[in-house]
Each structure stands twice: as C-alpha cells, then as structure tokens.
Amino acid sequence: AEVQDEGPGVPRELGNRVFERAVSGRNSTGIGLAVARDLAEADGGRLELLSLRPPVFALFLARGDD
C-alpha cells in the first residue's frame, strides 16, 4: 500500500533518516515514522520512503501461508 500527503515533503538532507528516532524535519518528536517502521518489521514487512516530494511511503507486508 502507498500513502501520500500534500505536505511540503521530506527535506532532501534527511532522506531515509526520517525513520530514525528523534529525527524530524518539522519540529515534531521524530517518533511516528520510527514506530511505524518498527511495527511493519515486527510483522515481517517493511516501510519505505519512495519519494521525497511529494512525500510517498510504501508499506510492504509478508503474505501468510494460510
């Protein structure tokens, strides 16, 4: 699944560092994307930054063998 917003985007100098705890480009806590990535990885998936501007994130989840 892909998610995009209409914000100004991820600053180029941050790139994939936006997933590190305490890293923020907009005066936030810098924990939201870190937690989102941790949750995805805990379920066998991954969260990736596809585009800086516009900001596009993709969530890839492992398929179960049900």
Side-chain angles (χ1 to χ4, degrees):
E2 291 182 13
V3 177
Q4 175 179 338
D5 71 25
E6 306 218 359
V10 176
R12 186 170 305 284
E13 64 273 8
L14 289 184
N16 278 317
R17 290 195 60 230
V18 296
F19 294 108
E20 296 174 18
R21 290 184 189 276
V23 172
S24 171
R26 304 272 180 316
N27 297 323
S28 69
T29 62
I31 196 168
L33 288 171
V35 169
R37 179 172 262 184
D38 288 349
L39 289 171
E41 290 175 353
D43 201 31
R46 67 185 194 278
L47 180 62
E48 295 183 6
L49 175 62
L50 298 182
S51 172
L52 297 173
R53 291 194 171 105
V56 178
F57 295 88
L59 175 62
F60 300 91
L61 296 174
R63 288 187 142 174
D65 292 334
D66 295 307

